[in-house]
Amino acid sequence: MSKKFYVTTPIYYPSAEFHIGHCYTTIIADALARYKRLDGYDVFFQTGTDEHGLKIETKAKENNVTPKEYVDVIIENAKDLWKQLNISYDFFLRTTDKFHEKKVQEIFKKLYDQGDIYKGEYKGLYCVPCESFWTETQVVDNKCPDCGREVQEVTEEAYFFRLSKYQKRIEEFYEQNPDFILPISRKNEMLSNFIKPGLEDLCVSRTSFKWGIPVPFDDKHVVYVWIDALSNYITSLGFPEITPEFKKYWPADLHLVGKEIVRFHAIIWPALLMALGLELPKKVFGHGWLIIDGGKISKSLGNYKDPRFYIKAYGVDAVRYFALREVPFGSDGVFSEKALITRTNSDLCNILGNLVSRTIQMGIKYFDGKVKNTYKNEEIDEDLNAAVKNLKVIIDNKIAELKINEALESIFEVLRKCNKYIDDTAPWLLAKDENNKDRLETIIYNLLESIKVCAILLQAFIPETANKILDSLKVENRNFDSLYQEVDVYDLGKEKPANLFERIKED
Ligand code: MSP
């Protein structure tokens, strides 16, 4: 297999239970991974947890447990959540995994030995909840620009990474790779807020807390989170050892990250990779936040429900579909239970569910569950059949641009056309006259073919529902290379399958 696709989510802080914001990125990464697998790519989809740092150390103390004990519970829950959301990750990396810790130490030592890391003294303004250092110009009234809480001034002996040395190379890289950071607005932010003012060397160790990977040649220090965290994308593949996996999957095709961590992925990570002599990832996509009540859903603000509540109440695909469809990927968007219900009713229930149910019922009623192509196409069919034929190319393009909501919109546009086609061709009238039997069969067949194509594509986004549909249609070949292979005879059985989605009452 020659085509490969390596996609990552950020590794999440397990400082509290995961919320719908974490689900958001992970569902999107999953949809892309599934799409590429169905399209014949050799996919590596990685997620994980970023477990070191002061915040977790503090949280664990508050709870009278060790940091490891503290995160273990949260990670178990997170893995259960990913299971419930049908997240098909290939690898879950924990930064407390022994292999990762060892490899981070090797990376740190290599950078030190070659002069890219040096010892100095750190003075800075630190936000404990966000684990971020800020410069004078970034803080607002002594408050963290991200969360709005007070920052503290800190001075300590520390190791530094020579980020400034890579300024020019990063600028050149941006010029030569205009699509490296998307959306473009985020790239412009990087240039004007961080790169143009001049990159400063980056503090990469701490002595003020213990919960971290020890610096291998100076155990007073622990590796400060970003070298530890960012390296996850390569330690999982074996680096510093150049393994067959590393050769196969690196460079990553896509790092999905929230907008507030673009700078780590689009500046620090490239510089680290340049220092390590490695290729840079092909793309960093900085998405927006899901917000509720005007603010970011946030662990530290505690303003959210367990995502499992929504999965239980409305089904996994209602949650997945909402995450993928509601908000243009890149922008901020509002998450609310009401919006989730509206979206589920309008698209999944009214458009998709109704279409599948009506079509299968007609197949059973008029043809005893066996429907073949009788080739009695008329002009009215052409619009639908052409839309179906063009769909894959349209979706491919949308996926390449990460316009995931538009990809789904295009599929639902075709499903809507199918519903209209039923209304326009009025099969129930044709059924009244035996002479129309072949024409009627062609209509039902066209609908089944259209539903099949949409369901095969939808496997990437709402796999459970899509596979239920393909089961009802007894479609065996579900990869994209069978997308347009026509089924000879649809065998729908004799019994109408259960509704895919029940209408949810809005109150
Ligand atoms: N551990 C770092 C990432 C290291 S990656 C090498 C981190 N963790 S985090 O748990 O704070 O956030 C992880 C991701 O979740 C970020 O991309 C962040 O944007 C995303 N989200 C957290 N809350 C979110 C929303 N409310 N909405 C959408 N995404 C949000 O940063």
Side-chain angles (χ1 to χ4, degrees):
M1 213 186 294
S2 60
K3 303 189 287 186
K4 69 93 185 171
F5 184 69
Y6 178 20
V7 60
T8 67
T9 72
I11 48 172
Y12 305 105
Y13 290 131
S15 51
E17 297 295 335
F18 286 14
H19 57 64
I20 199 80
H22 303 113
C23 298
Y24 180 61
T25 325
T26 313
I27 290 169
I28 287 165
D30 182 69
L32 295 170
R34 284 176 185 271
Y35 192 86
K36 295 288 183 181
R37 280 190 206 111
L38 289 161
D39 213 11
Y41 284 71
D42 180 345
V43 169
F44 193 64
F45 165 21
Q46 179 164 312
T47 187
T49 41
D50 186 0
E51 304 180 21
H52 296 119
L54 181 57
K55 192 163 155 194
I56 284 173
E57 192 179 81
T58 313
K59 281 267 183 175
K61 240 182 234 145
E62 283 166 16
N63 287 275
N64 287 322
V65 289
T66 64
K68 183 71 170 39
E69 285 166 344
Y70 179 79
V71 295
D72 277 353
V73 178
I74 292 170
I75 288 160
E76 195 141 318
N77 277 330
K79 285 189 174 170
D80 171 65
L81 176 59
W82 294 160
K83 197 165 165 215
Q84 291 197 33
L85 279 172
N86 287 326
I87 303 300
S88 62
Y89 59 77
D90 296 295
F91 195 68
F92 189 108
L93 183 138
R94 298 182 54 171
T95 55
T96 52
D97 285 334
K98 286 290 162 258
F99 80 88
H100 173 80
E101 296 189 338
K102 184 167 162 281
K103 286 172 183 298
V104 167
Q105 289 183 320
E106 287 167 17
I107 290 170
F108 200 95
K109 173 120 186 2
K110 178 174 161 50
L111 294 171
Y112 180 72
D113 289 346
Q114 71 190 37
D116 273 304
I117 286 180
Y118 63 92
K119 198 182 215 173
E121 193 175 66
Y122 190 80
K123 273 200 200 70
L125 299 167
Y126 189 63
C127 172
V128 178
C130 296
E131 298 191 4
S132 295
F133 274 93
W134 301 100
T135 61
E136 291 283 354
T137 49
Q138 288 168 328
V139 300
V140 189
D141 293 338
N142 210 42
K143 301 225 166 67
C144 167
D146 262 2
C147 75
R149 277 169 287 201
E150 291 263 328
V151 292
Q152 310 166 2
E153 196 171 278
V154 183
T155 308
E156 60 181 48
E157 175 190 289
Y159 287 92
F160 286 82
F161 171 65
R162 286 188 202 283
L163 184 60
S164 56
K165 176 175 149 189
Y166 294 94
Q167 161 114 19
K168 196 152 182 297
R169 280 181 63 189
I170 290 176
E171 277 174 288
E172 281 164 9
F173 183 80
Y174 279 24
E175 266 162 39
Q176 287 154 10
N177 299 276
D179 291 337
F180 173 59
I181 310 173
L182 288 177
I184 292 297
S185 58
R186 308 250 186 259
K187 169 177 151 181
N188 296 338
E189 255 169 53
M190 290 303 113
L191 282 166
S192 58
N193 297 358
F194 301 104
I195 299 180
K196 291 270 146 55
L199 293 176
E200 288 172 21
D201 289 351
L202 176 78
C203 180
V204 291
S205 82
R206 286 286 181 280
T207 53
S208 53
F209 60 88
K210 281 273 151 260
W211 179 236
I213 302 173
V215 169
F217 44 86
D218 188 350
D219 60 13
K220 228 170 54 199
H221 291 254
V222 294
V223 177
Y224 173 59
V225 288
W226 286 100
I227 286 196
D228 173 4
L230 289 163
S231 302
N232 92 85
Y233 303 129
I234 49 177
T235 60
S236 60
L237 302 176
F239 190 83
E241 202 188 316
I242 306 298
T243 59
E245 288 74 29
F246 187 85
K247 282 194 204 141
K248 178 151 77 171
Y249 294 117
W250 193 257
D253 295 85
L254 176 64
H255 291 313
L256 291 174
V257 300
K259 60 183 179 180
E260 85 284 19
I261 57 170
V262 170
R263 78 181 161 117
F264 301 103
H265 287 81
I267 297 174
I268 296 171
W269 184 223
L272 282 170
L273 290 167
M274 285 171 181
L276 293 168
L278 296 178
E279 269 185 82
L280 269 48
K282 300 207 182 118
K283 201 181 288 305
V284 172
F285 191 96
H287 64 75
W289 290 338
L290 286 186
I291 50 180
I292 45 176
D293 298 332
K296 184 184 169 200
I297 302 165
S298 127
K299 281 186 286 228
S300 36
L301 299 174
N303 55 357
Y304 59 88
K305 273 190 195 160
D306 183 340
R308 274 166 283 217
F309 165 84
Y310 305 107
I311 302 173
K312 192 151 183 262
Y314 309 114
V316 54
D317 284 342
V319 176
R320 287 181 64 108
Y321 185 75
F322 183 87
L324 294 160
R325 170 66 183 86
E326 187 74 8
V327 185
F329 196 47
S331 317
D332 287 347
V334 177
F335 174 83
S336 75
E337 200 167 340
K338 189 164 182 296
L340 174 72
I341 292 174
T342 308
R343 188 48 85 184
T344 307
N345 281 342
S346 69
D347 293 12
L348 296 177
C349 187
N350 291 358
I351 300 175
L352 177 64
N354 273 352
L355 170 68
V356 172
S357 146
R358 287 161 92 189
T359 305
I360 293 180
Q361 275 184 67
M362 291 191 290
I364 294 173
K365 185 166 168 198
Y366 303 137
F367 297 97
D368 208 23
K370 292 236 163 55
V371 183
K372 61 181 184 310
N373 196 352
T374 47
Y375 300 100
K376 294 279 181 243
N377 282 306
E378 292 183 4
E379 214 180 307
I380 190 171
D381 309 349
E382 267 162 31
D383 184 37
L384 176 64
N385 291 344
V388 172
K389 280 272 169 313
N390 293 335
L391 197 53
K392 172 69 166 47
V393 175
I394 293 174
I395 308 300
D396 277 348
N397 291 333
K398 299 284 186 199
I399 291 290
E401 294 176 67
L402 293 170
K403 294 185 172 160
I404 298 164
N405 67 315
E406 291 182 21
L408 279 171
E409 217 174 291
S410 304
I411 298 175
F412 275 73
E413 191 54 51
V414 170
L415 295 169
R416 228 180 265 124
K417 261 192 204 306
C418 291
N419 278 321
K420 182 163 184 297
Y421 176 77
I422 298 181
D423 298 341
D424 291 347
T425 53
W428 51 92
L429 296 182
L430 292 172
K432 290 186 174 154
D433 181 346
E434 190 61 21
N435 291 328
N436 295 328
K437 196 135 197 208
D438 281 355
R439 171 67 189 142
L440 179 60
E441 194 165 4
T442 291
I443 290 172
I444 311 292
Y445 182 87
N446 285 342
L447 286 165
L448 289 166
E449 268 295 306
S450 309
I451 292 172
K452 178 201 78 181
V453 169
C454 291
I456 289 180
L457 291 167
L458 282 172
Q459 286 175 103
F461 309 96
I462 45 173
E464 190 179 281
T465 305
N467 282 298
K468 268 192 209 159
I469 299 171
L470 294 168
D471 287 347
S472 305
L473 268 51
K474 298 206 182 61
V475 170
E476 275 174 19
N477 302 331
R478 299 181 181 186
N479 285 336
F480 290 168
D481 54 10
S482 341
L483 202 58
Y484 294 118
Q485 268 168 26
E486 290 192 0
V487 169
D488 290 336
V489 183
Y490 278 100
D491 178 2
L492 308 171
K494 308 271 181 221
E495 259 169 64
K496 181 196 163 227
N499 284 344
L500 293 170
F501 294 93
E502 297 298 337
R503 215 187 146 71
I504 309 164
K505 288 207 187 74
E506 305 236 352
D507 53 1

